[in-house]
Amino acid sequence: MRCGPQNLKVSPIYSEQKVALMWEDNTFCLLIQDEFAYDVDVLSTDDMTAIDHGVVVVPRDRTGSIHYWRWASPLPLECAHNTFRVRGRYKDQLGISAPSEPQVFPKDRVVEVGSNVTFCCIVPPGVTFQQMTVSSYSNRKTITTQINSQTYAMTVHLHKPSPASGTDVTCNGAEYGACVYAGYPPRDTDLQCETRDLESVECHWRTERKTNSLANRRTLYKLLGRICWSASNRTANKYRCVHNVSIQAQERNWTLTAQNVLGTLELTDRADLTKRVHMFAPQELTSSRIHARNASLVWQWSTSQYNKLNIRCQISLRSNIHTDVKNYSGVGLNHALLQGLTPNLNYAVQVNCGTEEHFWKWSDSKYATFQTAGDIPDALDVWLWRMEDNQTIILWKTPQPSQSHGRILDYEVTWSLPSAGQQETNNSTVVVFPPGNSAAAELDPSREHVVMVTARNSHGRSLPASMVVLRRAPGEVTNVSRIVGRGGGFNLSWPAHPDSSCGYMVAWTPTFTRGTGDWKKVPPGVTHAFITENLTPGVRYSVCVYTCIGGAPQLLERREGYVEETMIPAKQITGLRWEHVGSDVRVSWTAIPPENRTAFVQGYIMYYRRLGAKDAGLNPVHLNVTTDDPEASSLTARGVHVGSYSFAVAALTSVGEGGGNAITLTVNPPSYKSIMAIAVSFSNVLILLLLTTIVAYKNWTCIKQKVYPPVPKPVLHCDWLTLMEDHGHSILNTRESHSSQKENVDVPQVFCNRVAASTEADREGAPFLPNLGANGYYQQQQQQPQRKAMETTTKADVSQSALLSFPPPPPSVFENLLYTAGMPEQNT
Amino acid sequence: MAEQDGAADAVLDEPAPRRSGTGRAVALARLLHQECGHLLQLYRERESFLDDHTPEGGRIVSLSPDTLGDDPGVEERVGLLHAALRQCLGLLHCLTLREVEEEMGELEGEYEAMRKNVRSRLEHLLLSTRVLLPQPGEAEVTPDNPCTEEVDGEMGSFALKMWTYRVLLELLHWADHASLTLHVIHTQSQETEEV
């Protein structure tokens, strides 16, 4: 008999002191085409004696179904352990009994966190106890105690709350076990009650999720004694309960009771709910009667109770240019008129309402959108820039959507000469199409002009924006003062002008860049402005303030400055050069061009240090000199010793030192130059002398002939000779001692030996050597070239007159004493 | 599994006239199988003591022994499959009731969301298999379970967990069986059309 039960489950019902059994037929039972039965035995676990017995008959048509059997225990189930045995029986044949599975007790106990709970596992006969485990406590060591042959116990300290599905206690694997729930008594807080429709109370409170994790043992809430069936809002731990109740204008207690198996908690909120009206959101919010600059909003209320309520509604208007909030009030308020709107703009509306008196909370929001109707564009913001070539650029700011009120089709620019008394004025008109926003005009600077600009969209043309261009005054000079930027802009203020009828204008443009700039119009009565648009750090701007008199701007003041000074880029200081003056070194430079300056120069600083000082074991001194003259172009370092130096020059500005550049130089000893000069000069002289000597030596004969030709020998009579012997000898002695002439011939020899002297004179190259004899006059006249003189002498009769007619020696260094000593003065 | 999903999605995305009834059923069955696996995984993560545990006992949903023929025809196979899936839907229906009752309300976790998803998919599959039956009008698609189990006695939370686990395993088994069976039927029907 193999037919028998499978999947036998034994379930105790403690409250009824009963045990319910459930099992299924195994597959062998399905083969039985006849009625069969199950024998159920209740045994005492201790000694396995039968306590009770039952039979479950399975009709043929119930084969394959699940079978049940209940047993009423004479004792409380906790008092005794019982074993249940189920066996199939067919035609008096008993089959095997399905072993009862291990049982774990207690089942589904609810305890407070921190409790110690003892679990027992009862294993059926023949089954060996292996282990008991508690989920999420597996890391904790537990001690299992054997109670009897089939029963084992384990105590667990449940120190943490159980998850929503409980803490599982298993025995001999995951198939058999029990659940236990560790949680807390109710710990709800923050009860607050209000009314939404003046016909019911709505209370909110906060709960701890841990408490409510007790499945089937969850907290039961009662408000005013009535159960809150759908109290939870599990996403936020905030619970609410609503009951219909008559709302009276008086204070009373609103009581909430929270109860679970571990305890009960009571919360109370005392309030007059007529002062706590939390309105519903307006319904059916729609916009109507929409115009260019106003529109109407209407809505409905979901409860008639609001019709008697003094309501305040806050309407938020949002567009892509601004957000505005308007408040409206009234009894049963259900409409609002929106004014001051911008044409052709999309608006998003948000409406929130509350009670005007005893305001409690804003209602939920209601939203709507609408678009205002279009209109002609607003008048343009126009400005003029006079360029250097008498051309005037007429500029206007491209209107924003809040100003254009539709797509701009074109701009019309007109300039004319307003001449009173003349019927015709010289008009010029030009049409500019978007995205253009400027027009150029040749305006005679000596005459006054009126410029008008209009914009056109599909709804028409805007009012004209006009400006009077005064004639330019010759020699107009304006003092320029400095302005410093702050907070990303220029903060300007100026004295009020008594004649300023149409306000002021502030215009700014880069100082060193040709072109137009930006402007801002200031209304009358206002004498300050803070400009921030189109200002770039490091760029110098010229900022001009104009007063508007009769539509014509007149310059009040002009300033220049940087919205933000930045560091001047390196190496803007150029042309560094230096000179050594005594023990000082003066370094000069070329100033930074104003257009390259990104900050005001307040002075200069020069650093210098000795190079290689460390290697030489010297102190590398770092020194500097400064000047607070922004126009300075040189600085002098004093007491600079011999050596190599690095000099660096930088401009001082409010943001630091910038534009720096450097040079390296070497300071030499002061005598060095002189010595060098002298040496060079001496060398040059020596070289010159050497060259001259060489040339003179080589060309001595020619030079002698040129410079000092030989003196011809005089023709002497014997009488003269006798005279000489008497007187001339001593004279010759006197003169010869001073003579340095080279041709000091012996007179008697000359006369007598003139031919020989001539021969001697042919020798060229004979050195020029003054040769004084012992008696003081030359002895060796043969050595001296006397050719010319001798030749002259031989050609003519020598007479006294001829002697006297010899040409006098050329005035030269070489004095010819022959002609000068004792000779009567001759007039040649 | 990813490839199956892609193939299932591809079949479902085909225009209705082109996509055959069996093709659609195959795709639905494959999706159901994937989602049942995911649901089982979520439950194991929640009840960690079930990790890798295989419960004892046979199938909860079993076919009638009279129908265990040697070579059941297509209609018979579809009919048996439809009956089994209907029992599965009944089990899932009871499981949902018991869990909601146990929690005293609907939780909104990932497991609960996937449970809803599986139920919806199973209902669609039943509609698809009904279309394949010779007399679709007579086939039921409502849950086949009065949920009267354990009327006597308290099932206990732990026993409910084990039962839930077995039901999820049952769903996974029959979703797999459905995808295999319908795939065979779909292949045979396509071969028949080509001939």
Side-chain angles (χ1 to χ4, degrees):
Chain A
M1 172 54 182
R2 299 174 70 182
C3 165
Q6 68 178 10
N7 298 332
L8 175 65
K9 288 185 173 46
V10 180
S11 304
I13 308 171
Y14 293 97
S15 58
E16 297 179 20
Q17 210 166 289
K18 292 180 182 176
V19 179
L21 272 64
M22 176 186 74
W23 66 92
E24 300 168 359
D25 300 328
N26 66 17
T27 52
F28 295 99
C29 298
L30 301 178
L31 301 175
I32 298 176
Q33 303 292 328
D34 202 352
E35 181 181 280
F36 66 96
Y38 287 97
D39 281 7
V40 184
D41 299 313
V42 183
L43 311 171
S44 169
T45 306
D46 281 342
D47 53 9
M48 298 303 285
T49 55
I51 300 175
D52 206 340
H53 176 80
V55 176
V56 175
V57 177
V58 180
R60 184 166 179 270
D61 61 350
R62 290 281 294 172
T63 303
S65 63
I66 298 175
H67 311 294
Y68 306 91
W69 189 79
R70 272 197 178 196
W71 177 68
S73 171
L75 292 174
L77 298 182
E78 294 88 337
C79 296
H81 292 161
N82 300 298
T83 299
F84 296 86
R85 182 175 62 193
V86 180
R87 293 179 289 179
R89 179 157 57 81
Y90 179 62
K91 292 183 178 178
D92 295 328
Q93 290 184 31
L94 274 177
I96 59 173
S97 65
S100 297
E101 65 273 15
Q103 293 286 323
V104 177
F105 300 101
K107 293 185 188 294
D108 300 339
R109 181 70 59 86
V110 179
V111 298
E112 202 161 334
V113 173
S115 305
N116 293 327
V117 181
T118 299
F119 298 93
C120 63
C121 176
I122 303 174
V123 295
V127 177
T128 306
F129 172 81
Q130 295 168 1
Q131 64 172 0
M132 288 176 70
T133 57
V134 183
S135 64
S136 72
Y137 288 84
S138 56
N139 292 334
R140 294 206 158 207
K141 198 172 179 181
T142 54
I143 298 174
T144 305
T145 308
Q146 185 172 8
I147 304 299
N148 56 39
S149 58
Q150 269 83 42
T151 306
Y152 296 81
M154 177 180 72
T155 301
V156 182
H157 175 66
L158 300 173
H159 66 278
K160 53 187 177 183
S162 301
S165 58
T167 301
D168 302 299
V169 182
T170 58
C171 180
N172 278 17
E175 192 75 21
Y176 312 105
C179 287
V180 62
Y181 298 86
Y184 302 94
R187 298 196 289 185
D188 302 79
T189 56
D190 300 338
L191 176 69
Q192 189 177 73
C193 300
E194 62 190 18
T195 181
R196 302 209 69 174
D197 55 5
L198 294 166
E199 294 174 331
S200 62
V201 56
E202 181 174 308
C203 292
H204 298 261
W205 65 95
R206 196 178 294 276
T207 184
E208 273 196 1
R209 194 167 179 82
K210 295 173 187 175
T211 313
N212 265 12
S213 69
L214 305 178
N216 242 9
R217 292 139 283 272
R218 283 184 51 191
T219 307
L220 179 68
Y221 295 99
K222 292 181 181 178
L223 178 64
L224 303 177
R226 287 138 62 178
I227 294 175
C228 298
W229 291 108
S230 49
S232 66
N233 183 2
R234 295 173 186 247
T235 57
N237 280 0
K238 288 189 74 174
Y239 284 55
R240 65 184 275 271
C241 180
V242 182
H243 284 329
N244 291 331
V245 68
S246 172
I247 303 297
Q248 304 295 327
Q250 62 183 21
E251 271 196 10
R252 58 163 291 180
N253 287 333
W254 306 96
T255 303
L256 176 79
T257 304
Q259 180 183 15
N260 68 11
V261 294
L262 297 176
T264 303
L265 176 70
E266 198 170 270
L267 301 173
T268 302
D269 183 19
R270 184 172 180 83
D272 175 4
L273 294 192
T274 60
K275 299 178 182 176
R276 290 189 184 180
V277 180
H278 181 191
M279 295 181 68
F280 291 116
Q283 303 295 311
E284 299 175 21
L285 179 64
T286 53
S287 52
S288 63
R289 289 182 288 182
I290 301 173
H291 302 292
R293 298 177 192 272
N294 58 69
S296 295
L297 282 179
V298 292
W299 57 86
Q300 305 295 326
W301 295 115
S302 57
T303 171
S304 57
Q305 293 285 340
Y306 291 173
N307 295 336
K308 301 171 289 186
L309 213 57
N310 193 3
I311 299 171
R312 178 209 308 177
C313 287
Q314 185 178 77
I315 300 178
S316 169
L317 283 166
R318 268 191 296 273
S319 66
N320 57 3
I321 56 173
H322 65 83
T323 299
D324 193 16
V325 178
K326 299 176 187 290
N327 290 307
Y328 301 81
S329 300
V331 175
L333 183 68
N334 60 359
H335 65 277
L337 176 62
L338 309 174
Q339 293 178 310
L341 305 178
T342 301
N344 196 45
L345 202 63
N346 282 318
Y347 283 92
V349 179
Q350 177 184 337
V351 181
N352 298 86
C353 298
T355 52
E356 180 71 61
E357 301 160 2
H358 310 294
F359 178 83
W360 172 241
K361 285 180 187 175
W362 287 115
S363 68
D364 297 330
S365 300
K366 193 68 177 177
Y367 300 92
T369 59
F370 63 90
Q371 182 177 9
T372 48
D375 200 356
I376 61 170
D378 291 345
L380 296 169
D381 184 357
V382 178
W383 188 245
L384 303 168
W385 288 94
R386 268 200 181 128
M387 310 306 286
E388 293 167 357
D389 52 1
N390 286 339
Q391 195 177 56
T392 300
I393 306 296
I394 303 162
L395 278 169
W396 56 92
K397 296 192 176 179
T398 302
Q400 300 298 312
S402 60
Q403 300 166 323
S404 62
H405 307 151
R407 191 172 68 88
I408 298 293
L409 300 175
D410 59 59
Y411 304 96
E412 189 176 87
V413 184
T414 304
W415 56 92
S416 59
L417 294 168
S419 300
Q422 286 191 4
Q423 291 184 350
E424 293 183 1
T425 58
N426 190 3
N427 286 349
S428 294
T429 300
V430 62
V431 176
V432 177
F433 296 98
N437 65 337
S438 66
E442 299 282 345
L443 302 182
D444 183 355
S446 64
R447 304 186 70 176
E448 188 174 288
H449 292 79
V450 176
V451 175
M452 287 198 301
V453 187
T454 59
R456 185 171 69 92
N457 66 10
S458 60
H459 297 278
R461 190 165 290 281
S462 70
L463 294 175
S466 63
M467 185 170 288
V468 176
V469 184
L470 298 176
R471 55 189 175 162
R472 179 177 280 175
E476 183 181 332
V477 174
T478 308
N479 291 331
V480 181
S481 60
R482 183 179 290 193
I483 184 171
V484 177
R486 292 266 190 276
F490 290 117
N491 206 349
L492 296 149
S493 63
W494 55 89
H497 196 283
D499 299 327
S500 174
S501 60
C502 44
Y504 301 89
M505 296 89 156
V506 179
W508 60 97
T509 183
T511 304
F512 301 112
T513 304
R514 177 184 157 81
T516 59
D518 205 344
W519 71 95
K520 181 176 184 178
K521 298 204 173 163
V522 180
V526 179
T527 57
H528 59 270
F530 182 60
I531 58 173
T532 59
E533 296 85 3
N534 298 324
L535 295 172
T536 305
V539 174
R540 184 183 292 191
Y541 287 90
S542 298
V543 183
C544 299
V545 179
Y546 298 83
T547 178
C548 177
I549 302 175
Q554 298 182 29
L555 182 64
L556 281 182
E557 58 183 51
R558 179 177 171 180
R559 304 183 189 181
E560 285 186 8
Y562 298 88
V563 66
E564 181 184 337
E565 293 182 281
T566 60
M567 191 73 73
I568 300 176
K571 300 196 187 301
Q572 289 297 314
I573 296 175
T574 57
L576 282 173
R577 52 204 178 275
W578 66 282
E579 58 178 321
H580 191 190
V581 183
S583 63
D584 303 338
V585 173
R586 186 168 71 196
V587 176
S588 308
W589 59 83
T590 304
I592 304 172
E595 58 271 18
N596 290 356
R597 300 183 188 186
T598 60
F600 286 111
V601 175
Q602 299 170 345
Y604 291 89
I605 183 168
M606 180 171 72
Y607 298 93
Y608 57 99
R609 66 180 178 89
R610 188 167 181 166
L611 299 176
K614 282 187 180 178
D615 296 336
L618 300 172
N619 183 21
V621 179
H622 293 241
L623 299 171
N624 66 74
V625 290
T626 61
T627 174
D628 55 4
D629 177 12
E631 305 305 323
S633 60
S634 69
L635 278 169
T636 301
R638 309 210 178 270
V640 180
H641 301 294
V642 171
S644 294
Y645 290 84
S646 171
F647 279 73
V649 179
L652 296 172
T653 70
S654 64
V655 292
E657 301 168 5
N661 209 343
I663 56 169
T664 303
L665 56 90
T666 302
V667 177
N668 297 309
S671 59
Y672 179 73
K673 284 187 181 175
S674 305
I675 294 173
M676 286 299 296
I678 292 171
V680 169
S681 302
F682 187 66
S683 300
N684 292 339
V685 170
L686 281 178
I687 293 170
L688 187 61
L689 282 176
L690 185 61
L691 289 175
T692 306
T693 302
I694 293 171
V695 170
Y697 180 76
K698 287 186 175 295
N699 300 282
W700 173 244
T701 305
C702 178
I703 291 171
K704 184 170 182 289
Q705 290 294 331
K706 294 288 183 186
V707 175
Y708 191 61
V711 177
K713 289 183 181 175
V715 176
L716 299 175
H717 293 289
C718 292
D719 292 339
W720 183 82
L721 186 60
T722 303
L723 180 66
M724 285 299 295
E725 284 176 354
D726 289 321
H727 299 287
H729 186 75
S730 61
I731 294 173
L732 284 174
N733 284 340
T734 303
R735 291 307 172 113
E736 285 170 357
S737 64
H738 299 291
S739 172
S740 61
Q741 69 181 38
K742 52 189 173 184
E743 298 179 18
N744 217 358
V745 297
D746 184 6
V747 172
Q749 290 267 352
V750 170
F751 182 74
C752 295
N753 298 319
R754 61 181 180 273
V755 177
S758 164
T759 302
E760 291 295 333
D762 289 338
R763 270 201 309 162
E764 291 188 1
F768 164 60
L769 293 171
N771 196 357
L772 296 178
N775 57 358
Y777 59 97
Y778 293 111
Q779 300 283 334
Q780 296 180 3
Q781 64 278 11
Q782 296 91 329
Q783 295 182 348
Q784 302 181 11
Q786 301 173 23
R787 183 172 179 179
K788 280 190 179 177
M790 292 303 146
E791 287 178 351
T792 304
T793 305
T794 55
K795 289 179 181 176
D797 291 335
V798 176
S799 64
Q800 189 174 13
S801 63
L803 178 69
L804 296 176
S805 67
F806 275 6
S812 68
V813 178
F814 314 112
E815 183 179 359
N816 191 344
L817 295 176
L818 190 65
Y819 289 96
T820 56
M823 301 300 291
E825 187 174 358
Q826 299 293 326
N827 293 327
T828 58
Chain B
M1 186 63 73
E3 292 179 358
Q4 281 183 332
D5 293 342
D9 289 340
V11 172
L12 285 173
D13 287 340
E14 287 180 15
R18 287 187 58 187
R19 187 178 66 240
S20 64
T22 50
R24 180 181 172 82
V26 169
L28 280 169
R30 286 173 179 166
L31 276 174
L32 177 64
H33 182 243
Q34 183 198 5
E35 288 163 349
C36 287
H38 191 190
L39 182 65
L40 184 66
Q41 181 60 31
L42 289 171
Y43 193 71
R44 280 177 173 157
E45 289 171 2
R46 196 167 85 169
E47 308 297 338
S48 57
F49 75 97
L50 292 171
D51 195 27
D52 290 333
H53 170 70
T54 304
E56 299 171 358
R59 300 251 70 87
I60 302 177
V61 175
S62 59
L63 300 175
S64 169
D66 293 338
T67 62
L68 294 176
D70 292 334
D71 187 17
V74 170
E75 293 174 357
E76 198 174 1
R77 280 186 283 172
V78 173
L80 288 172
L81 180 62
H82 183 86
L85 291 176
R86 189 159 168 248
Q87 290 188 57
C88 289
L89 182 62
L91 287 172
L92 185 56
H93 167 69
C94 295
L95 183 153
T96 305
L97 281 179
R98 294 235 160 77
E99 285 191 326
V100 169
E101 182 184 318
E102 183 79 359
E103 297 291 334
M104 289 184 69
E106 291 268 357
L107 288 176
E108 297 177 10
E110 196 175 352
Y111 166 78
E112 288 76 15
M114 183 53 66
R115 190 182 62 200
K116 283 184 187 175
N117 209 26
V118 167
R119 176 167 182 158
S120 176
R121 192 77 66 192
L122 182 54
E123 287 169 346
H124 286 155
L125 181 58
L126 277 167
L127 289 171
S128 294
T129 53
R130 183 172 73 167
V131 170
L132 303 177
L133 293 172
Q135 292 175 330
E138 295 181 359
E140 299 285 342
V141 293
T142 53
D144 178 23
N145 197 316
C147 299
T148 55
E149 296 167 14
E150 311 310 312
V151 172
D152 295 329
E154 295 174 356
M155 199 172 180
S157 299
F158 189 87
L160 175 61
K161 289 182 183 181
M162 295 308 299
W163 180 80
T164 301
Y165 188 52
R166 289 188 64 199
V167 169
L168 296 179
L169 287 170
E170 200 73 13
L171 289 173
L172 183 66
H173 165 79
W174 285 106
D176 183 39
H177 181 79
S179 68
L180 292 172
T181 304
L182 290 170
H183 174 71
V184 171
I185 295 172
H186 175 64
T187 306
Q188 289 174 352
S189 68
Q190 284 191 323
E191 288 171 356
T192 305
E193 286 177 8
E194 288 172 1
V195 171

